[in-house]
Amino acid sequence: MKNLKAIILGVLIITCLEQALYAQKLTLQSPNKKITIELFNQQNSNTGEWYLKVLYTLDATTTESISRIDLGLIRADQAFSKELTLVKAGRPVLINERYTSVHGKRSVRSNAANEIITSFQNPDKTKINLILRAYNDGVAFRYEFPEGHEAVAVKDELTAFTISRETSRWMEKWNTANEGYYTPMSDDKVQQQEWCYPALFNTKDKTCWFLLHEADLDRNYCGTKLSNTLDATKYKLTFPDPRDGRGTGTVEPTITFPWKSPWRVVIMGTLQDIVASTLTDDLSAPSVIKNTDWIKPGPVSWNYWSSNHGTKDYKIVTRFADLAADMNWPYTLLDWEWDGMGNGGNLEDALNYIRAKGVKPLMWYNSGGNHTYVSSTPKDRMLTHESRVIEFTKLKKLGVAGVKIDFFESEKQNMIQYYLDILNDAAQFQIMVYFHGSLVPRGWARTYPNLMTYEAVRGAEWYNNTPDFTMAAPEHNAILPFTRNVVGSMDYTPVTFTNSQYPHVTSYGHELALSVLFESALQHFADRPEGYYNLPDAPKAFLREIPTAWDDTRLLDGYPGKEVILARRKGNDWYIGGINAELREKKKSVKLDFLADSVKYKLTLITDGEHDKAFSTQYLLVDKNTSIDVPILRRGGFAAVIKPEL
């Protein structure tokens, strides 16, 4: 049956391993045949150095998207690079899995790919496997040591992506918090340095987009980053800097056997394919939590943006609890300094008040330990299994639903283990978790669905930090849906209408649209209460009912840094958010052809008004044949909700 299935699907075309011939190429195609991975030997032999090439076909035009991906690892005891002999190419396997997700951009997921395992050995006769997968929305590969004895350090990973200078790219300079800007580059403007994941590319002929990332990172490795410091066209995977985490932890990961590396991921296709992809989660380990009924996504009121020391003040805390109750948001966050609360009440008083309002509290913690310079308390309560058990036991009794844990500052193996230990312990107490000052998502939300979101983004908090965010925010906001937010929930803390320390230049319509554009299972709406209370009825109602977990996600239009229009579905209702990052007004025609056949819908369209602090609202009856014209101010935006007519 497997052979028949392989023939019917055209899973694999192989020209290798014939006993009398040396072969140099193995080819694996995606189920829809748009994406092809080719395996080559540099010496045109069965022994030597091996590399991959990735091709993309659209409308009968084939593009060499990535001309070369170098392969190999160097362990402390042996090398697996220049003298690898191809021993066997396994039979093709169809990966065909369906699973559900508690939150994210799509509730029902399909993990469907063609896979082949190629086996090599080095001169010491030690085996290493290369596992290749071709998906309809990308490719992935990982290394495997199927056998071994004592634990051993990995000295270097030689994986490197060669990408021509003519390819356009949007990349973020490496920083441990992943809170930088994306820099657009191509040709002679390509910079050489270390870069964060994910990184977005568009081929010279404009037909193919791809995003470089990694997935299914576990306790048996460290996080990596991209570096083209030696060659502008070659992005090599590199281990963490020794200085990360104040120098704590070792740079080189120590692996135990049997071992598999994280997946090296290339999300690929059109921009629509990139935005809709769940490949980072698809490649990651299934949920270890059987009962997920207690995991509840939802909006959160948050006092830090408008008052940096707000949680220290009982009266401010109660105002934000009232806001959450009034707006029908299930959560409010007690950020740093809750352990020093005063002005009318202490922590216990605040928690009692919050619960009495029908709102669930979330609480902030410093990740603690010597890996962070930040001394803010409580600092060490998450640091060990024993301290976490004590703290989670208290929180459970106090009715706290989740914890925000901050300042990790490293992706060394010890820190990866720390992240996962926190998630595992929290799950035992049915406590939701989200990480700040952290790495970008690596698929853990599938394995631990109590992981609700990560920061790892330059978000609205930066209106508090530096004046440059004011003018940079519009373009930045129009890049994130194509980059950072593709790979997992993003706690940008959006939708602010008043000003923090530094002002906005985005319109009110732009800010409202971010509630749809930015996906985060716990969506922290960051403005002060009057920022929401003073809204007109339509945008206020919109924010009262906005979901934070979705059944479907579709890109309707957009280009990184210029504009983006996204549609997301929850049940039978659709929500649309669109923003303009440019300094000119636009009129966009939005087709509603994603709606169901033969169904009439009621559309509430909330657009920019006469100026950037005004709204205009229309109510229309529409169907899938409708196209709506939407005026957008410079740096403006709009939002819409579409519900079946009753």
Side-chain angles (χ1 to χ4, degrees):
M1 178 59 73
K2 288 184 179 179
N3 289 340
L4 179 59
K5 187 178 292 184
I7 293 171
I8 293 174
L9 295 176
V11 174
L12 186 65
I13 305 169
I14 304 178
T15 310
C16 68
L17 295 178
E18 296 182 8
Q19 293 183 354
L21 297 172
Y22 286 117
Q24 294 82 43
K25 186 172 76 171
L26 176 151
T27 303
L28 178 68
Q29 287 189 320
S30 60
N32 65 5
K33 294 184 171 54
K34 288 185 177 181
I35 297 174
T36 302
I37 319 171
E38 296 178 342
L39 175 67
F40 290 89
N41 178 273
Q42 184 164 310
Q43 287 74 30
N44 293 323
S45 171
N46 260 13
T47 299
E49 296 178 72
W50 298 84
Y51 65 94
L52 300 171
K53 183 181 293 187
V54 184
L55 310 175
Y56 178 72
T57 301
L58 181 66
D59 298 329
T61 298
T62 297
T63 299
E64 187 177 271
S65 305
I66 304 177
S67 61
R68 181 180 174 116
I69 305 175
D70 292 328
L71 301 170
L73 290 163
I74 298 176
R75 294 187 342 204
D77 59 340
Q78 300 177 53
F80 300 83
S81 57
K82 294 183 178 180
E83 298 180 82
L84 287 180
T85 300
L86 179 59
V87 177
K88 180 183 179 182
R91 291 178 178 237
V93 175
L94 176 65
I95 306 297
N96 191 9
E97 174 196 16
R98 289 179 68 84
Y99 68 99
T100 58
S101 179
V102 180
H103 47 77
K105 67 180 75 171
R106 186 171 299 107
S107 57
V108 178
R109 311 282 184 90
S110 175
N111 181 26
N114 296 323
E115 178 186 275
I116 188 169
I117 300 175
T118 54
S119 299
F120 301 86
Q121 65 180 20
N122 68 0
D124 295 324
K125 307 299 182 184
T126 304
K127 296 179 181 178
I128 183 173
N129 293 335
L130 177 68
I131 305 173
L132 295 171
R133 285 189 184 178
Y135 286 83
N136 287 345
D137 60 345
V139 302
F141 62 94
R142 74 192 320 177
Y143 305 102
E144 179 185 35
F145 291 121
E147 55 192 34
H149 301 287
E150 296 182 359
V152 64
V154 176
K155 305 293 288 183
D156 195 10
E157 180 172 338
L158 304 179
T159 306
F161 300 86
T162 297
I163 299 168
S164 68
R165 284 181 175 271
E166 295 79 14
T167 299
S168 300
R169 64 208 70 195
W170 290 257
M171 304 185 73
E172 177 186 344
K173 181 180 178 181
W174 167 251
N175 63 98
T176 56
N178 296 278
E179 292 184 39
Y181 294 115
Y182 276 82
T183 302
M185 298 172 285
S186 64
D187 300 313
D188 60 346
K189 295 182 180 180
V190 172
Q191 300 175 19
Q192 291 182 249
Q193 58 191 24
E194 293 182 336
W195 304 95
C196 298
Y197 290 120
L200 179 67
F201 299 83
N202 184 209
T203 55
K204 182 181 179 180
D205 62 8
K206 307 303 180 187
T207 61
C208 178
W209 294 81
F210 59 95
L211 197 73
L212 298 185
H213 195 41
E214 68 179 5
D216 204 28
L217 172 61
D218 65 15
R219 291 177 174 87
N220 224 0
Y221 213 56
C222 62
T224 64
K225 56 184 180 290
L226 299 167
S227 174
N228 68 336
T229 55
L230 298 180
D231 181 343
T233 65
K234 182 174 288 190
Y235 294 90
K236 181 186 176 299
L237 271 61
T238 59
F239 292 159
D241 190 295
R243 296 168 294 181
D244 294 349
R246 294 184 68 191
T248 61
T250 59
V251 170
E252 297 167 357
T254 296
I255 63 174
T256 56
F257 301 98
W259 174 83
K260 292 180 181 178
S261 75
W263 288 101
R264 306 309 171 203
V265 184
V266 185
I267 302 172
M268 181 172 285
T270 63
L271 267 182
Q272 288 84 352
D273 296 327
I274 300 288
V275 170
S277 176
T278 58
L279 192 52
T280 303
D281 289 345
D282 298 343
L283 286 160
S284 297
S287 175
V288 297
I289 302 174
K290 293 183 179 179
N291 174 24
T292 59
D293 293 345
W294 54 276
I295 301 171
K296 302 290 186 182
V300 187
S301 67
W302 184 49
N303 64 48
Y304 176 86
W305 185 84
S306 57
S307 178
N308 292 171
H309 301 279
T311 306
K312 205 170 183 178
D313 189 318
Y314 173 79
K315 292 181 180 177
I316 291 177
V317 170
T318 57
R319 284 180 59 222
F320 278 82
D322 292 341
L323 172 65
D326 291 343
M327 293 297 291
N328 198 34
W329 300 339
Y331 305 107
T332 190
L333 171 65
L334 305 184
D335 215 297
W336 74 311
E337 298 183 318
W338 54 257
D339 52 344
M341 193 184 303
N343 194 26
N346 57 22
L347 173 64
E348 186 175 348
D349 298 325
L351 294 175
N352 288 335
Y353 185 94
I354 292 166
R355 293 195 308 269
K357 288 288 181 176
V359 176
K360 296 179 181 179
L362 309 171
M363 290 173 58
W364 178 95
Y365 286 84
N366 189 332
S367 64
N370 292 328
H371 62 267
T372 176
Y373 288 99
V374 180
S375 60
S376 303
T377 60
K379 184 172 181 182
D380 298 325
R381 301 188 193 181
M382 294 292 138
L383 197 56
T384 68
H385 169 72
E386 291 75 18
S387 63
R388 288 191 295 272
V389 168
I390 292 170
E391 196 67 13
F392 289 154
T393 300
K394 292 178 182 177
L395 295 181
K396 195 67 176 175
K397 291 179 180 178
L398 292 170
V400 175
V403 291
K404 169 184 176 180
I405 306 177
D406 212 342
F407 304 121
F408 289 88
E409 302 177 24
S410 168
E411 296 185 15
K412 297 174 186 175
Q413 186 177 23
N414 67 316
M415 197 58 56
I416 301 306
Q417 293 168 344
Y418 181 31
Y419 278 116
L420 296 172
D421 288 344
I422 290 172
L423 292 171
N424 187 68
D425 287 344
Q428 307 309 309
F429 289 85
Q430 296 190 345
I431 288 177
M432 297 181 293
V433 177
Y434 54 111
F435 297 128
H436 265 230
S438 68
L439 81 178
V440 297
R442 300 302 212 280
W444 295 344
R446 181 182 180 190
T447 311
Y448 291 96
N450 61 322
L451 174 53
M452 307 303 286
T453 191
Y454 313 63
E455 186 182 28
V457 65
R458 197 176 190 91
E461 179 181 293
W462 281 84
Y463 283 114
N464 275 312
N465 298 343
T466 57
D468 60 278
F469 195 66
T470 292
M471 300 307 298
E475 179 180 351
H476 182 62
N477 293 347
I479 292 175
L480 294 174
F482 304 105
T483 51
R484 163 64 182 85
N485 213 183
V486 170
V487 300
S489 280
M490 180 180 77
D491 194 25
Y492 177 103
T493 63
V495 191
T496 52
F497 303 101
T498 66
N499 287 325
S500 184
Q501 183 173 349
Y502 300 103
H504 295 78
V505 293
T506 53
S507 77
Y508 278 17
H510 184 117
E511 289 296 315
L512 185 65
L514 300 183
S515 65
V516 180
L517 289 184
F518 294 163
E519 181 270 310
S520 181
L522 291 176
Q523 185 75 284
H524 291 71
F525 292 131
D527 209 346
R528 49 182 54 83
E530 53 267 33
Y532 301 112
Y533 291 148
N534 293 337
L535 291 173
D537 289 344
K540 189 185 300 182
F542 188 88
L543 290 174
R544 279 195 169 115
E545 65 177 23
I546 187 75
T548 66
W550 304 97
D551 295 322
D552 197 6
T553 294
R554 302 190 187 190
L555 175 66
L556 304 184
D557 196 3
Y559 188 88
K562 294 184 178 181
E563 62 188 15
V564 56
I565 302 174
L566 273 179
R568 300 190 193 268
R569 179 177 61 83
K570 184 68 173 180
N572 294 319
D573 301 339
W574 284 91
Y575 294 79
I576 302 177
I579 60 171
N580 173 22
E582 296 188 289
L583 293 176
R584 60 185 180 90
E585 296 183 4
K586 298 179 181 180
K587 180 174 285 187
K588 301 298 297 185
S589 181
V590 181
K591 295 181 179 179
L592 305 182
D593 52 3
F594 53 86
L595 297 176
D597 292 330
S598 305
V599 179
K600 292 290 185 181
Y601 293 83
K602 292 180 68 175
L603 165 70
T604 301
L605 177 62
I606 307 168
T607 64
D608 290 320
E610 294 182 356
H611 53 79
D612 62 356
K613 292 180 173 58
F615 289 104
S616 177
T617 303
Q618 301 178 56
Y619 302 93
L620 302 169
L621 195 63
V622 299
D623 59 28
K624 71 172 301 177
N625 298 311
T626 303
S627 180
I628 55 174
D629 292 328
V630 183
I632 311 178
L633 294 177
R634 63 178 190 166
R635 300 180 292 217
F638 72 96
V641 58
I642 309 173
K643 297 184 176 184
E645 184 182 25
L646 298 178

